[in-house]
Amino acid sequence: MFFQNSDNNLLSSLNPEQLAAVTWPPQSALVLAGAGSGKTRVLTTRIAWLMQNGQADVHSILAVTFTNKAAKEMYARLSAMLPHNLRAMWLGTFHSLCHRMLRLHAQDAGLPKTFQILDTADQAALIKRLLKQMDIAEERLHPRVLQGFINAQKESGLRASVLEASDPHTRLLVQCYTEYEDICRREGVVDFAELMLRSYELLEHNGHLRRHYQNRFRHILVDEFQDTNKLQYAWLKLMAGGGASVFAVGDDDQSIYRFRGAHVGNMAELMREFHIDGPIKLEQNYRSVGHILQAANAVIANNEERLGKNLRTEAENGDKIRFLSAYNDLEEARFIAEESRCLQKDGVPLGQIAVLYRSNAQSRIIEQQLFQAGIPYKIYGGLRFYERQEIKHALAYLRLAVNPDDDNALLRVINFPPRGIGARSIENIQAAAAEQGCSLWQAACGMGEKAVKIAAFVRLINTFTEQAPVLSLPDMVREIIDDSGLYRHYQNQKQAAEQERTENLDELHTAAIWFKPEDSPFETLPENAAEQPTFPILAFLSNAALESGENQAAEGQEAVQLMTVHAAKGLEFDAVFLSGMEEGRFPSELSINERGGLQEERRLMYVAITRARKKLYISMAQQRMLHGQIQFGTTSRFVDEIPAELMHYLSPAQSDFARQQHLSASPNRIRQDAYESIENQNFHGYRIGENVRHNKFGTGVIIDALDKGTSAKLTVNFGKQGIKELDTEFAKLEKLN
């Protein structure tokens, strides 16, 4: 054992696993820290123990975190543990530490001493300026695409000079990357990705400096090691190349940032390259009750190539996981809202309730139901549905369709998607409007056909204005989403986050399908609005403004937290709702067919489950409106991987009864006719959308049926077993609802 009696106060609160990690000999180690196992305590106590025992001082320690928040927390804990002045310790994020190094050695790094850092917005502005200088229109190369390309190359350690281009588009990207590097060099600026790459190159090419830091930092400690990318790991190896010990803390089961470049394989490579025989495992969980941990263990056990651990707790088993297979997405959202109200009445603070979903588009209907139930909520790490960029763009077009003189709406979309109407053209329109005392729209119309691009925009809005009184609200919204070019614009983006915006546009269309004009408060509408042919559009716009403006909780107010599962990492709540658990949604359809994708989705599920301390609710919708059509869902394979004895299944009969109760009680009920018409079709005792069980294929949902007279041919989606066609005359199907 490597501690003295004077260490007792420092080590007394540690469990045996934590104690083994903290008092590990001065050699490299990988600490496999499960969710809620106290990894931050281990990391900070390890630093304090090294210093208290004279094995290290503030100058010989390099501690790396992934967020500034984590760095501040670690610094505060160390300050409380140690009497030392810690200001000289190198403790911070990868980017902050590389910035510190480059400030000290700017000349050696080829930078001016006064170099400035570009934040994300500054970098975007420089890229827009670059594209303008190179006379490259946004339609040809969008600034965000180029920004993502440049950052991805730098994070892979690649300069423009070493890239090869096999097609015209890539050649254009490389050409712009080259020009971008030249501009940054001339102006003495660096972006965030450059901090890491330039620091790595400095160490790699300057042997004297590299040896200096290798001799100085004898103990390198890294938090969230599973999230490191290849360049960060390469930088760490250079720093540790003089024989320093690397003490890495991480959890391969929580590696969920592959889309950002995280390389979970770094953990296995660390063990091999630093001669670590096996990881130290922290498996004692201090967060969740037993049933939740058992569910997490059962799900993640299905992943291959894990380093392997099994969470345990000394806490009670707690409530079973409640699972609802809701009739549709509306019923699912209502269940979440009403159960949240019940939890609040039982003493659970609203701030300790979280609703998680796989993609942002799922938030709209949940927001709507929380709003109607009068439950304050907040979108964590993102925007409310009606505040999202793509939604505001679409609504601006809709506003112009009923009122072209809306100057704010016109300025928002006159050049979005990009159509070549530059700042000078817009200034000319504004000057003409001021001179004539008219709206921007009237000024734009007065410019005639000579202003070709403005004239094209005028024709587009005129088309929408002509269609507004004629088309139904859903058709009008779809027309705008498609004909404005918004959907195509986001669909063509290379970045997944940009492409995801198309899901939100589809969800806006769904909102229009279910919207009932009479449900919109009339006091928010123009006078005599109900008499106008465009009343449904006016009511929809009014309702969108109301929902975006009033229903999110005020600063400091207790509120239910809504977020994606990715955003939830690192957080914990007393009660968690995990919604939209249908095959193809979570796991996503794309991940199922992508190499390594399904394993990452399962890790994401593991993260979602382990956010819950006391209560976990999982829900799915048998029917969900997507892309303007009703789609039928089967239960996610991840739900099936949770042992039945850990689950409390809310029966379909109960949920059907609850649905009828909601419909009769709500004055603002959303149309059910499309769902009802499908539900009521009967095919020899079976209904489309009904859950069934087959003795060979397991459980599934009927997605189509054909009446053959004496029997029916049923098309059943059995999830992992695939879609099967079965004849009711021969197939033995047990109805589950």
Side-chain angles (χ1 to χ4, degrees):
M1 190 62 67
F2 288 80
F3 64 92
Q4 305 166 355
N5 290 335
S6 59
D7 298 322
N8 287 342
N9 290 337
L10 190 66
L11 306 176
S12 59
S13 63
L14 302 179
N15 67 35
E17 296 165 344
Q18 294 171 335
L19 182 65
V22 167
T23 59
W24 190 253
Q27 61 193 50
S28 293
L30 174 64
V31 179
L32 203 58
S37 62
K39 69 177 180 62
T40 304
R41 169 186 287 184
V42 165
L43 206 56
T44 51
T45 309
R46 169 71 173 177
I47 294 173
W49 184 81
L50 287 171
M51 294 177 65
Q52 189 166 299
N53 281 273
Q55 296 186 36
D57 57 34
V58 292
H59 300 283
S60 63
I61 289 175
L62 176 69
V64 189
T65 66
F66 259 82
T67 65
N68 289 316
K69 179 183 176 183
K72 289 177 182 177
E73 181 183 352
M74 192 179 298
Y75 186 88
R77 290 195 187 192
L78 284 170
S79 297
M81 289 179 177
L82 297 166
H84 305 72
N85 182 350
L86 302 176
R87 293 183 63 85
M89 183 182 293
W90 280 43
L91 188 163
T93 65
F94 277 103
H95 289 112
S96 66
L97 294 174
C98 288
H99 176 227
R100 186 172 183 172
M101 179 181 291
L102 293 176
R103 285 292 177 199
L104 291 171
H105 310 286
Q107 186 174 353
D108 291 323
L111 292 170
K113 288 185 177 181
T114 57
F115 74 86
Q116 298 299 307
I117 299 174
L118 297 173
D119 62 19
T120 304
D122 292 332
Q123 185 190 32
L126 188 153
I127 286 173
K128 287 181 180 178
R129 176 158 53 93
L130 176 153
L131 291 172
K132 189 173 182 179
Q133 289 174 0
M134 297 179 70
D135 197 26
I136 299 173
E138 288 192 14
E139 297 94 318
R140 185 181 174 198
L141 178 58
H142 196 276
R144 285 197 202 91
V145 174
L146 179 57
Q147 187 174 16
F149 174 81
I150 290 171
N151 291 339
Q153 302 313 308
K154 289 189 177 187
E155 288 166 4
S156 298
L158 300 173
R159 293 290 185 190
S161 57
V162 303
L163 294 176
E164 296 182 1
S166 57
D167 59 86
H169 180 69
T170 306
R171 279 196 293 274
L172 179 62
L173 288 168
V174 174
Q175 181 185 354
C176 291
Y177 182 14
T178 303
E179 181 62 26
Y180 175 84
E181 287 185 310
D182 290 341
I183 292 175
C184 290
R185 185 168 52 252
R186 288 197 304 269
E187 298 181 3
V189 295
V190 297
D191 54 46
F192 285 134
E194 182 71 18
L195 289 172
M196 192 81 230
L197 179 55
R198 186 70 65 113
S199 179
Y200 172 79
E201 291 172 340
L202 173 65
L203 292 172
E204 185 182 39
H205 299 142
N206 191 318
H208 176 74
L209 203 59
R210 182 172 67 251
R211 287 188 291 275
H212 164 75
Y213 282 108
Q214 288 174 345
N215 290 331
R216 173 178 174 172
F217 296 124
R218 307 309 299 163
H219 298 274
I220 299 174
L221 301 98
V222 190
D223 192 14
E224 303 286 8
F225 189 75
Q226 77 280 351
D227 293 334
T228 54
N229 61 33
K230 290 186 176 182
L231 180 60
Q232 289 163 341
Y233 180 50
W235 183 84
L236 288 169
K237 285 197 294 183
L238 282 180
M239 295 291 276
S245 67
V246 176
F247 188 87
V249 181
D251 183 2
D252 58 333
D253 290 334
Q254 295 189 74
S255 179
I256 59 173
Y257 295 122
R258 187 175 56 156
F259 65 96
R260 293 182 187 170
H263 181 54
V264 68
N266 284 347
M267 302 186 84
E269 290 177 21
L270 176 78
M271 292 179 63
R272 184 177 66 254
E273 295 177 353
F274 285 80
H275 311 294
I276 300 170
D277 293 333
I280 305 168
K281 298 180 181 181
L282 304 184
E283 298 175 301
Q284 178 76 42
N285 178 278
Y286 294 94
R287 176 187 299 160
S288 306
V289 295
H291 283 145
I292 291 173
L293 291 185
Q294 291 167 43
N297 288 334
V299 171
I300 201 64
N302 291 279
N303 263 2
E304 302 170 355
E305 300 178 1
R306 295 174 61 226
L307 294 176
K309 66 180 184 315
N310 210 46
L311 295 179
R312 66 180 189 279
T313 181
E314 295 179 357
E316 59 185 11
N317 279 331
D319 292 344
K320 289 188 175 184
I321 298 163
R322 298 186 70 189
F323 175 70
L324 173 69
S325 177
Y327 174 64
N328 58 37
D329 47 354
L330 174 63
E331 182 188 319
E332 179 189 31
R334 280 179 170 153
F335 167 77
I336 290 170
E338 293 184 4
E339 193 66 25
S340 296
R341 176 66 73 207
C342 292
L343 288 169
Q344 184 187 30
K345 289 179 180 177
D346 289 342
V348 180
L350 289 180
Q352 282 300 319
I353 301 172
V355 183
L356 310 185
Y357 34 78
R358 180 63 183 84
S359 65
N360 277 308
Q362 293 170 246
S363 78
R364 183 199 61 83
I365 196 166
I366 299 170
E367 289 185 60
Q368 180 191 66
Q369 291 307 304
L370 289 171
F371 174 54
Q372 291 189 2
I375 300 173
Y377 73 87
K378 286 184 179 179
I379 302 289
Y380 180 90
L383 296 171
R384 291 168 287 178
F385 182 80
Y386 285 106
E387 287 184 341
R388 292 167 191 165
Q389 175 199 101
E390 60 279 13
I391 300 304
K392 291 177 78 70
H393 286 331
L395 293 179
Y397 278 109
L398 196 58
R399 284 161 56 187
L400 288 173
V402 294
N403 178 21
D405 293 321
D406 186 333
D407 284 357
N408 285 335
L410 185 141
L411 286 172
R412 184 175 190 89
V413 297
I414 190 171
N415 195 43
F416 197 93
R419 51 176 58 90
I421 301 176
R424 180 167 296 180
S425 296
I426 295 172
E427 288 170 5
N428 290 339
I429 295 173
Q430 291 172 318
E435 184 179 333
Q436 299 167 26
C438 63
S439 68
L440 297 180
W441 167 254
Q442 292 168 346
C445 291
M447 293 194 163
E449 291 295 324
K450 288 185 179 180
V452 178
K453 293 174 180 176
I454 295 174
F457 174 72
V458 168
R459 287 193 297 273
L460 176 67
I461 301 304
N462 275 332
T463 301
F464 291 154
T465 303
E466 292 166 3
Q467 293 170 328
V470 180
L471 295 179
S472 67
L473 172 63
D475 287 347
M476 188 67 215
V477 171
R478 190 76 252 174
E479 192 84 10
I480 278 174
I481 289 171
D482 293 338
D483 288 6
S484 68
L486 281 174
Y487 199 92
R488 184 170 59 255
H489 169 79
Y490 291 118
Q491 196 174 40
N492 290 339
Q493 302 301 307
K494 299 292 183 183
Q495 295 165 289
E498 291 298 300
Q499 292 178 338
E500 189 180 278
R501 295 183 190 272
T502 60
E503 295 182 21
N504 288 331
L505 290 173
D506 283 330
E507 187 60 25
L508 182 68
H509 181 220
T510 298
I513 290 173
W514 295 124
F515 179 71
K516 295 186 72 176
E518 56 268 31
D519 290 342
S520 183
F522 277 74
E523 62 270 17
T524 65
L525 295 170
E527 191 175 351
N528 301 323
E531 300 172 10
Q532 300 179 30
T534 56
F535 171 61
I537 297 176
L538 293 170
F540 184 70
L541 288 169
S542 176
N543 196 68
L546 186 68
E547 286 202 27
S548 68
E550 294 185 2
N551 55 346
Q552 178 146 270
E555 190 67 32
Q557 181 184 4
E558 279 286 318
V560 174
Q561 306 291 306
L562 272 62
M563 66 193 77
T564 64
V565 182
H566 278 103
K569 185 166 183 296
L571 304 176
E572 54 187 76
F573 303 91
D574 284 347
V576 169
F577 292 89
L578 182 52
S579 64
M581 289 305 302
E582 298 116 44
E583 191 73 5
R585 178 164 288 271
F586 195 3
S588 69
E589 195 70 48
L590 183 64
S591 71
I592 294 172
N593 302 312
E594 183 183 9
R595 181 179 175 84
L598 187 58
Q599 294 206 46
E600 175 137 335
E601 289 284 295
R602 190 173 280 110
R603 294 196 291 268
L604 197 58
M605 179 67 173
Y606 174 84
V607 167
I609 293 172
T610 54
R611 298 312 93 197
R613 282 195 286 256
K614 300 176 182 177
K615 294 179 181 290
L616 177 62
Y617 301 81
I618 299 177
S619 61
M620 63 160 291
Q622 298 170 27
Q623 299 177 15
R624 188 180 294 275
M625 180 70 76
L626 294 170
H627 314 297
Q629 296 182 340
I630 294 173
Q631 296 186 8
F632 301 94
T634 57
T635 307
S636 166
R637 69 184 71 196
F638 297 155
V639 177
D640 292 338
E641 289 170 359
I642 299 175
E645 62 267 21
L646 303 178
M647 304 284 278
H648 173 61
Y649 296 94
L650 298 177
S651 74
Q654 286 176 311
S655 65
D656 279 346
F657 172 76
R659 173 171 56 84
Q660 295 300 330
Q661 293 296 101
H662 300 331
L663 290 176
S664 61
S666 174
N668 295 316
R669 53 182 286 189
I670 295 178
R671 287 187 305 160
Q672 293 291 311
D673 50 319
Y675 286 133
E676 297 290 347
S677 63
I678 291 177
E679 178 195 28
N680 292 332
Q681 295 180 45
N682 192 302
F683 297 88
H684 294 268
Y686 296 92
R687 292 182 290 105
I688 295 176
E690 192 170 36
N691 285 337
V692 294
R693 179 182 287 115
H694 187 273
N695 59 2
K696 179 179 179 182
F697 304 124
T699 59
V701 61
I702 301 172
I703 61 175
D704 198 6
L706 176 66
D707 195 326
K708 297 174 61 180
T710 57
S711 65
K713 183 171 74 173
L714 305 179
T715 305
V716 185
N717 187 341
F718 287 103
K720 288 183 285 187
Q721 298 295 327
I723 296 174
K724 312 292 181 183
E725 289 189 347
L726 304 171
D727 195 306
T728 57
E729 187 176 353
F730 307 106
K732 293 182 179 179
L733 291 172
E734 175 190 355
K735 293 197 291 184
L736 300 182
N737 47 331

